[in-house]
Amino acid sequence: MNHPEIILIFARADNGVIGRDGRLPWHLPSDLRRFKALTTGSPMIMGRKTFDSLPGLLEGRRHIVLTRDAGWQEDGAEAVGSPEEAIRIANAPHIAVIGGGEIYNQFLPVADRIELTEVHLDAQGDVTIPAPDPTEWREDARQDFPAEGSRPAYSFVTYRRRGGK
């Protein structure tokens, strides 16, 4: 597999927050359904903290965990020590990178697409990432959804790398 499509998948508040205490700072069922649709059937690359935050193994997906701890292992997870090793063992046409912030930053230079849920609020959190740089990324698709009850407004946005491979 020479050049898989690498897709960063994340939800981000307007102020850049993507997580708080190892969890999402909001609950959007439609975002969780979209995440499942985007990742089912694909290998997912994630950091160990993201793996630990999952409710369990996610059915129909490989769990490739990038960790500095060479001795780390967990049932159902494939531990790797570098982004290059993660891509190599994924050996798939499409690879989903699902977090956290440090992992996104490691894969951003080689990513082809970003599937972003913009959560329209300023959230409290301890993990942030910047918005996609418009000089590197072009918006390809957008669906906007209004706030409902206690749930904030949000948008599903697809970005593709400018001059993509």
Side-chain angles (χ1 to χ4, degrees), residues 24-102:
L24 295 173
W26 48 77
H27 180 68
L28 291 172
S30 58
D31 179 48
L32 298 175
R33 285 189 297 274
R34 180 175 188 246
F35 176 84
K36 182 177 182 179
L38 288 167
T39 58
T40 296
S42 294
M44 299 182 306
I45 298 172
M46 68 201 82
R48 187 200 43 80
K49 289 179 188 174
T50 297
F51 179 82
D52 289 345
S53 76
L54 297 176
L57 293 176
L58 303 180
E59 190 177 330
R61 292 157 270 195
R62 286 175 59 202
H63 297 67
I64 300 170
V65 179
L66 186 54
T67 177
R68 289 183 203 90
D69 181 352
W72 183 88
Q73 52 185 315
E74 190 71 40
D75 286 345
E78 301 169 69
V80 296
S82 72
E84 298 78 17
E85 183 183 4
I87 292 168
R88 182 182 56 73
I89 72 159
N91 190 31
H94 307 283
I95 300 170
V97 176
I98 66 164
E102 189 178 324

Side-chain angles (χ1 to χ4, degrees), residues 1-162:
M1 187 68 44
N2 288 339
H3 299 286
E5 180 184 36
I6 297 176
I7 307 158
L8 304 183
I9 302 172
F10 60 96
R12 179 185 179 276
D14 290 338
N15 64 344
V17 168
I18 66 166
R20 179 179 62 216
D21 300 326
R23 303 184 56 86
L24 295 173
W26 48 77
H27 180 68
L28 291 172
S30 58
D31 179 48
L32 298 175
R33 285 189 297 274
R34 180 175 188 246
F35 176 84
K36 182 177 182 179
L38 288 167
T39 58
T40 296
S42 294
M44 299 182 306
I45 298 172
M46 68 201 82
R48 187 200 43 80
K49 289 179 188 174
T50 297
F51 179 82
D52 289 345
S53 76
L54 297 176
L57 293 176
L58 303 180
E59 190 177 330
R61 292 157 270 195
R62 286 175 59 202
H63 297 67
I64 300 170
V65 179
L66 186 54
T67 177
R68 289 183 203 90
D69 181 352
W72 183 88
Q73 52 185 315
E74 190 71 40
D75 286 345
E78 301 169 69
V80 296
S82 72
E84 298 78 17
E85 183 183 4
I87 292 168
R88 182 182 56 73
I89 72 159
N91 190 31
H94 307 283
I95 300 170
V97 176
I98 66 164
E102 189 178 324
I103 303 302
Y104 290 130
N105 287 331
Q106 290 181 44
F107 280 89
L108 186 61
V110 296
D112 302 289
R113 189 171 92 204
I114 296 173
E115 293 292 347
L116 171 62
T117 300
E118 293 177 344
V119 183
H120 300 303
L121 57 78
D122 286 341
Q124 297 294 314
D126 52 15
V127 181
T128 62
I129 58 174
D133 179 345
T135 65
E136 292 184 38
W137 298 93
R138 75 177 188 285
E139 187 176 308
D140 223 31
R142 173 180 289 270
Q143 291 179 282
D144 297 316
F145 301 90
E148 252 184 64
S150 64
R151 292 194 178 110
Y154 60 96
S155 302
F156 293 154
V157 188
T158 299
Y159 289 93
R160 296 203 185 270
R161 184 172 295 280
R162 292 186 183 277

